[in-house]
Every structure is written in C-alpha cells, then in structure tokens.
Amino acid sequence: MALGLVKFDLKKRVKLAQTVWFMYWFAVMAGVLVLSMGLFFKIELRKRSELMDNNESHFLPNLLIFMGLVACGINGFGGKVCYDSLDPTKFLKWKPMLKGFLLFCMGFNALLMVTALLCFLMRIPLQFTLAEGLKNGMRYYKDTDTPGRCYMKRTLDLMQIEFRCCGNENYRDWFEIQWVSNRYLDFSSKEVKDRIGSNVDGQYLMDGVPFSCCNPSSPRPCIQHQMTNNSAYYSYDHYTEELNVWKRGCRSAMVSYYGGLMNTIGVLVMLVTLLEVRVQPTQSIFYLHLLDLPKQPSRCQVAVTIGLQYIDSSLSTLVNPEDPESESEGWILEKTVKETFTDIMDKMKSMGKGTKVEEGEEAGVATVS
C-alpha cells in the first residue's frame, strides 16, 4: 500500500502546482538576497583594498555572488518545470532531466551551507591580512610623491577618522616609523639631525601621530606631537592624562567591523539555506531504483518536496491521460516504508553480488591466460 495516498482531481492538482511554483519564486528572491550581500561585501572590501595584504579576501564575496546567481538560475528553471506541470503533456519533456537536476540541487545546497560556514571562519585569516596590510600602509604613509603610493595617506586618514582608531595595534605604532616625508623636514635643524641619528635606520622618528588620530570629542585641544613630553604642555602627564587621541588600534576596529559583517551575512545565508523553499526533482538516487521518490536534504524542504512528489505521482496515474480533468491518485512513497527499505537493501545486495561475479570472471580469465 502506498504511503500518504491522496486522491486528486484537476482543481487540487492545479492548486498544489501553484503553491509549489510560488515557493520556487520565493527561492529566487532568496538567491537575489545572497547576490546582493556578496556585492555589498565586495564593495566594502574594495574601499580599503590597499590595506589588505592579498587578494584572497575577495574570495568570499565572489563566492557569494556566484552562489546568488546560481540560486536564481536553478530556482527559475524549477519554477518553469513546476508551471509546465499544470499540463501533463508539457511536463513529460522535463521528466528525463529531473535526476540530473536533483543531483545539482543537492550539491548546491551543500555548497551553500559551506559558504555560510566560511563567513564565520574567514575572520581568522582576515586578522592576519589586515595586520600586515596596515603595517605596510603605515610605512607608505609619507610617500605622497611616490607613484602608486600617493593615495595611502588619504586612505589611512579617512580610515582612522571613520573607524575612530589609531595605528595598527594602538597609537604608539606611529612612534616606530617615519610618517613625515623628507621633503617637509629641515635637515639643517639640529633637532632633525638628532632624531635621524638616534636610530640605526636613519629615520625621523617622533612621539607623535597624524591628525586623523585626534578624538574630536575631547574637550582639550588635540595633543598629537611630543605626546610623551610632559613639559611640552601645561598641566599634562601622558601617564595619567586621558589622551585625546583614539586608543583603539585600527586592526581591531576593522576586524570587528568586517567580522560583524561576515557574521551577519553568514546568518542570512544559513537562513536562506534552511528556509529556502526549493522545489526539487522527484527521481531520487537514494532509492537506487526507478521509483519517483523525493529527496529531502533538510526538514524545511520536506513540505515542498512532498508537494512536487504528489504532483508527479498524480500526473502519472491519471485515469485517462488524454483528459486532464480526470481523477488520479498521488502518494509520497509508492510502497510502505518497510517495503521501500527492503527494496533498497535487495537492490544494494544484487549490486554487490554482480560486482563479485564480474571480479570472479576476470580472475578466471587471467588464470587461463
């Protein structure tokens, strides 16, 4: 006896097909959402691509864009198949393609889940690429006259203002590099000579930070030069005074921003994976025989898959195939669960025996030779 046997007339079949068709196009909109998130993430990364140590950071947004496009394509195709299921003669031309379409959908669902997991895991490599990228960017801050680096000062200043941060780890990172171009230094000055001669690299190092590190909310005028010299300012002690520059490092700020963005995208992609009501072909490879049975990759897709199974089985059992209005029967499984499981095991055993027989024949031929 068939499992979930239901009698269908034309009205019920049309209503069922329309419901599944609507769900398919809802899945197309979910694909558009994934595509949009990928484009937004790629734009955000491109804004500060100069501060990234490599191009691997663009792998995730490119993957999201690809997955969004594929989701739109396969769900649009599924919607067309579901629409044609209203006409039994049109539905027949799609039937040979359903098994391959099923396999593709299974692989796509798995890849979509992997994409969601990558959104959570990419935070770790992002920390390393930002650490190295910011370090190099700060080193090139002074090279405003060097082709290919003249934009770095503007990029870093805008970043520190936007993210309210200073330096790589903290504001003291600026003390360790020369961030003022030589063209703005008076080399006849004793102070400049002393600073350059005070380190083996011959750099003009000072205890100061760029203006973009200043906190505009501080009531005191920004102290960005001679920050460790208490005598340079009235009533100032850099050990106890609340500095009016941003204390947070830019690497931490950017990792927090991009990490939060990736976590949000990861949650949305996972919801798309779990809630996407995708109609799937009904010829499942799991049962390893010619029954038209549904493949259920996740619980959220059970209702839709069962719906398409009812559509297919009801079209296959029309009392009069030439009369679309004739009654028919639809089912989830053509046999009971126990009988279906027995058929699967018998099929697997027969396949195993066939393989052993072939191996034995090959061995016999080799012995005779």
Side-chain angles (χ1 to χ4, degrees):
M1 182 178 178
L3 178 65
L5 184 64
V6 177
K7 290 186 178 296
F8 285 91
D9 55 19
L10 178 61
K11 185 177 179 180
K12 288 184 178 180
R13 285 195 298 270
V14 170
K15 187 175 181 180
L16 180 61
Q18 289 175 341
T19 302
V20 180
W21 176 86
F22 172 77
M23 291 178 173
Y24 243 134
W25 285 104
F26 182 82
V28 171
M29 299 308 298
V32 173
L33 175 63
V34 175
L35 173 63
S36 302
M37 290 186 295
L39 289 173
F40 174 74
F41 191 29
K42 190 173 183 67
I43 292 172
E44 286 297 302
L45 286 176
R46 276 204 169 277
K47 287 181 181 179
R48 304 167 191 90
S49 58
E50 301 90 352
L51 302 176
M52 305 290 179
D53 184 45
N54 53 57
N55 294 323
E56 295 177 1
S57 55
H58 291 275
F59 168 76
L60 184 58
N62 290 339
L63 180 60
L64 288 169
I65 293 172
F66 171 77
M67 296 299 290
L69 289 173
V70 174
C72 293
I74 63 175
N75 287 298
F77 174 79
K80 172 62 177 173
V81 174
C82 192
Y83 178 80
D84 286 349
S85 68
L86 295 174
D87 186 343
T89 58
K90 291 183 178 180
F91 186 69
L92 289 176
K93 68 180 180 181
W94 300 116
K95 211 165 178 64
M97 306 180 188
L98 295 184
K99 183 175 290 187
F101 185 47
L102 171 66
L103 293 173
F104 186 81
C105 288
M106 294 300 100
F108 177 77
N109 282 337
L111 187 56
L112 196 60
M113 182 60 72
V114 171
T115 302
L117 295 177
L118 284 177
C119 290
F120 299 106
L121 298 177
M122 288 297 288
R123 185 187 183 101
I124 298 175
L126 180 65
Q127 294 182 5
F128 295 101
T129 187
L130 279 175
E132 194 63 27
L134 284 169
K135 184 178 179 181
N136 293 331
M138 292 173 64
R139 190 184 306 122
Y140 302 143
Y141 183 88
K142 68 181 186 302
D143 298 338
T144 53
D145 297 327
T146 304
R149 299 178 184 174
C150 55
Y151 55 81
M152 190 57 71
K153 178 182 181 300
R154 179 178 181 275
T155 301
L156 278 170
D157 283 335
L158 291 176
M159 178 202 65
Q160 292 189 143
I161 293 173
E162 180 180 356
F163 287 93
R164 299 183 176 186
C165 59
C166 186
N168 190 346
E169 296 290 341
N170 54 60
Y171 69 93
R172 290 184 174 273
D173 293 332
W174 289 107
F175 298 176
E176 302 172 1
I177 62 171
Q178 178 181 338
W179 53 272
V180 178
S181 176
N182 287 338
R183 66 178 296 186
Y184 302 114
L185 297 177
D186 181 8
F187 285 92
S188 63
S189 170
K190 182 178 183 301
E191 180 186 355
V192 173
K193 291 180 179 179
D194 290 342
R195 287 186 179 275
I196 292 177
S198 64
N199 61 88
V200 294
D201 296 327
Q203 294 183 336
Y204 181 76
L205 304 181
M206 59 179 180
D207 52 346
V209 296
F211 77 95
S212 53
C213 284
C214 294
N215 182 357
S217 300
S218 175
R220 182 168 188 162
C222 185
I223 298 177
Q224 64 182 101
H225 297 292
Q226 301 186 57
M227 296 178 65
T228 59
N229 185 1
N230 293 335
S231 61
Y233 304 95
Y234 174 73
S235 184
Y236 174 74
D237 185 353
H238 75 279
Y239 288 110
T240 59
E241 183 78 11
E242 184 68 25
L243 295 176
N244 50 8
V245 297
W246 303 115
K247 294 184 177 181
R248 188 183 190 186
C250 289
R251 184 182 70 168
S252 173
M254 293 184 71
V255 167
S256 177
Y257 171 72
Y258 284 116
L261 188 61
M262 288 189 295
N263 288 343
T264 302
I265 293 175
V267 171
L268 290 176
V269 173
M270 192 166 289
L271 287 175
V272 168
T273 306
L274 297 177
L275 302 178
E276 184 183 54
V277 280
R278 178 180 302 118
V279 180
Q280 303 232 345
T282 59
Q283 296 173 323
S284 174
I285 58 170
F286 174 76
Y287 293 103
L288 298 176
H289 48 63
L290 299 178
L291 293 175
D292 293 328
L293 302 176
K295 180 70 174 179
Q296 302 177 10
S298 60
R299 292 182 180 179
C300 65
Q301 295 175 345
V302 169
V304 181
T305 308
I306 290 175
L308 188 58
Q309 170 62 14
Y310 273 124
I311 292 174
D312 186 49
S313 56
S314 63
L315 290 175
S316 302
T317 58
L318 286 171
V319 175
N320 184 5
E322 297 180 358
D323 181 13
E325 297 186 6
S326 62
E327 293 186 352
S328 62
E329 292 182 344
W331 53 75
I332 301 175
L333 298 179
E334 190 173 2
K335 300 179 181 180
T336 63
V337 175
K338 183 179 180 180
E339 291 173 341
T340 302
F341 179 76
T342 303
D343 288 346
I344 295 172
M345 297 304 296
D346 291 342
K347 186 71 175 179
M348 294 177 66
K349 289 178 181 178
S350 63
M351 291 177 63
K353 290 179 180 179
T355 303
K356 291 181 179 180
V357 170
E358 290 178 359
E359 291 178 351
E361 291 178 353
E362 291 178 359
V365 172
T367 304
V368 173
S369 301

